[in-house]
Amino acid sequence: MAKKRPQTKAAKAQLKDGPVPVVGAREPCPCDSGRRYKACHGRAAAQAVTELVQRPFEGLTGEGDWVALRELVPAATVELALKDGLPEGVPSVTLATVLPMAWPALRRDDGSVLLALQNDTSSGDLSRDLADTLRRALTAEPGQPVAAHRVPADGPRLQDLLDPAAPFTPVVHSGFEFWVPDAEHSSAEVTASLERANAAAIPTARLTGTDAAYWCETPEKNHLRWVMPHPEEKLLDALARLHAAGVSSLGEGTRLVGSFRAHGLTVPVWDLPSAMGAEECEKPAAEFAERLAAALADDAPLTGDERRARGGLTNRQVTLS
């Protein structure tokens, strides 16, 4: 049998002034500790990258709409404003639900930037991933997409880059023609991607009278999915009160069927008759918002019927992200 080597304590890290640069996992750590990077400062960096941020869009204007565009809406765009203004040569920055070939971002020929929201990301902080992609897109060569890559753990987040005073107003599209300013002269690859995306898109509309409420049409029935900012437990109590009282629907032929979680927010879902369009949802949704506000303000303990209603809603809750 081989002799055991005497165990020695690892050398104490000799920290330098300023941040420790990122190097290869098996390379010596730049802090001069004598250990490999992955066993020294790389360990903390890897943990920071993989740690899940439950509410990545918290603090951004329109948090509910950010969640909806990430999880619910097939085709939509939003004009973004940066804290420091647009760099020279970048006429606009537009958030898009998806881009052709699943590009994370695209710098168009005219210098404008499209940033995709629904792509897979490399870390547990979606906001940091998107901010890194945006920064790289601002300096990319015009006419070029931005590739995905591993994001530094200490990079900025969207909350650091976007103007908090600017409105966040999604524009929902029936298809993905916004991808290309001149579809007739697009490459065959982009054209094919556009056709596939349009064929799969579910008709969707954003209600104008309420925040982050989206109607969608499916073959058998329509739905209203409403991203709400209230704390989950308090919201479920309020929905249970309304459900037990028989006033949780949006009118005849509609019913509250459950909810799901997405990026730290709760999204109640209603089934709607196939004949009920987005415009027909506006008034019932506004009336429901008033009932919900009153229920949210009620701090009385739940009754037996309300607890049973809450249990039913909780059992039908699904977590998306």
Side-chain angles (χ1 to χ4, degrees), residues 147-181:
H149 80 156
R150 190 172 182 84
V151 176
D154 57 350
R157 308 178 74 235
L158 288 174
Q159 290 83 345
D160 302 317
L161 302 183
L162 301 183
D163 183 355
F168 189 83
T169 309
V171 177
V172 179
H173 304 275
S174 58
F176 296 87
E177 282 72 21
F178 64 85
W179 281 354
V180 286

Side-chain angles (χ1 to χ4, degrees), residues 22 45 48-49 123 125 127-133 135 149-161:
V22 176
V49 168
S123 81
D125 187 351
S127 177
R128 197 180 308 280
D129 290 337
L130 289 167
D132 179 80
T133 301
R135 293 180 73 192
H149 80 156
R150 190 172 182 84
V151 176
D154 57 350
R157 308 178 74 235
L158 288 174
Q159 290 83 345
D160 302 317
L161 302 183

Side-chain angles (χ1 to χ4, degrees), residues 43 89 93 114 131 139 160 165 177 196 199 206 225 233 243 249 302 313:
R43 180 180 298 172
V93 174
L114 288 176
T139 58
D160 302 317
E177 282 72 21
R196 289 193 300 270
R206 181 177 185 266
R225 299 175 290 186
E233 296 302 315
H243 201 62
S249 73
L302 296 181
L313 291 172

Side-chain angles (χ1 to χ4, degrees), residues 184-239:
E184 293 184 358
H185 296 88
S186 299
S187 67
E189 190 178 21
V190 171
T191 299
S193 182
L194 177 61
E195 291 176 352
R196 289 193 300 270
N198 282 343
I202 296 174
T204 302
R206 181 177 185 266
L207 300 195
T208 60
T210 51
D211 292 333
Y214 288 81
W215 168 95
C216 69
E217 180 183 10
T218 60
E220 295 184 359
K221 63 184 70 174
N222 299 340
H223 305 279
L224 183 71
R225 299 175 290 186
W226 193 338
V227 186
M228 295 187 172
H230 317 291
E232 180 180 354
E233 296 302 315
K234 193 169 185 63
L235 176 59
L236 289 174
D237 282 352
L239 292 173

Side-chain angles (χ1 to χ4, degrees), residues 35-301:
R35 291 178 290 177
R36 290 177 177 175
Y37 180 70
K38 69 177 182 179
C40 192
H41 281 83
R43 180 180 298 172
Q47 181 178 358
V49 168
T50 58
E51 186 175 355
L52 179 63
V53 176
Q54 297 290 340
R55 288 180 63 178
F57 306 119
E58 185 176 14
L60 292 174
T61 303
E63 181 185 6
D65 285 305
W66 278 92
V67 172
L69 267 57
R70 168 72 182 185
E71 300 294 341
L72 308 178
V73 183
T77 55
V78 186
E79 294 299 314
L80 299 180
L82 307 185
K83 279 185 178 179
D84 299 328
L86 296 172
E88 184 178 356
V90 180
S92 64
V93 174
T94 302
L95 181 73
T97 46
V98 292
L99 291 176
M101 277 74 74
W103 291 330
L106 170 66
R107 182 90 185 272
R108 282 178 163 162
D109 291 334
D110 66 355
S112 60
V113 168
L114 288 176
L115 174 68
L117 181 56
Q118 293 183 10
N119 284 59
D120 292 335
T121 55
S122 62
S123 81
D125 187 351
L126 182 55
S127 177
R128 197 180 308 280
D129 290 337
L130 289 167
D132 179 80
T133 301
L134 174 57
R135 293 180 73 192
R136 291 186 293 123
L138 293 172
T139 58
E141 289 295 324
Q144 295 298 314
V146 175
H149 80 156
R150 190 172 182 84
V151 176
D154 57 350
R157 308 178 74 235
L158 288 174
Q159 290 83 345
D160 302 317
L161 302 183
L162 301 183
D163 183 355
F168 189 83
T169 309
V171 177
V172 179
H173 304 275
S174 58
F176 296 87
E177 282 72 21
F178 64 85
W179 281 354
V180 286
D182 186 5
E184 293 184 358
H185 296 88
S186 299
S187 67
E189 190 178 21
V190 171
T191 299
S193 182
L194 177 61
E195 291 176 352
R196 289 193 300 270
N198 282 343
I202 296 174
T204 302
R206 181 177 185 266
L207 300 195
T208 60
T210 51
D211 292 333
Y214 288 81
W215 168 95
C216 69
E217 180 183 10
T218 60
E220 295 184 359
K221 63 184 70 174
N222 299 340
H223 305 279
L224 183 71
R225 299 175 290 186
W226 193 338
V227 186
M228 295 187 172
H230 317 291
E232 180 180 354
E233 296 302 315
K234 193 169 185 63
L235 176 59
L236 289 174
D237 282 352
L239 292 173
R241 295 183 196 279
L242 298 178
H243 201 62
V247 291
S248 63
S249 73
L250 300 176
E252 184 178 356
T254 73
R255 68 188 186 102
L256 176 64
V257 294
S259 64
F260 55 84
R261 300 183 190 93
H263 304 291
L265 298 185
T266 304
V267 188
V269 180
W270 286 262
D271 278 353
L272 311 173
S274 57
M276 189 173 186
E279 292 184 0
E280 289 76 25
C281 289
E282 294 283 2
K283 183 178 178 181
E287 293 172 347
F288 178 85
E290 295 180 359
R291 298 195 298 273
L292 179 63
L296 286 167
D298 188 347
D299 293 327

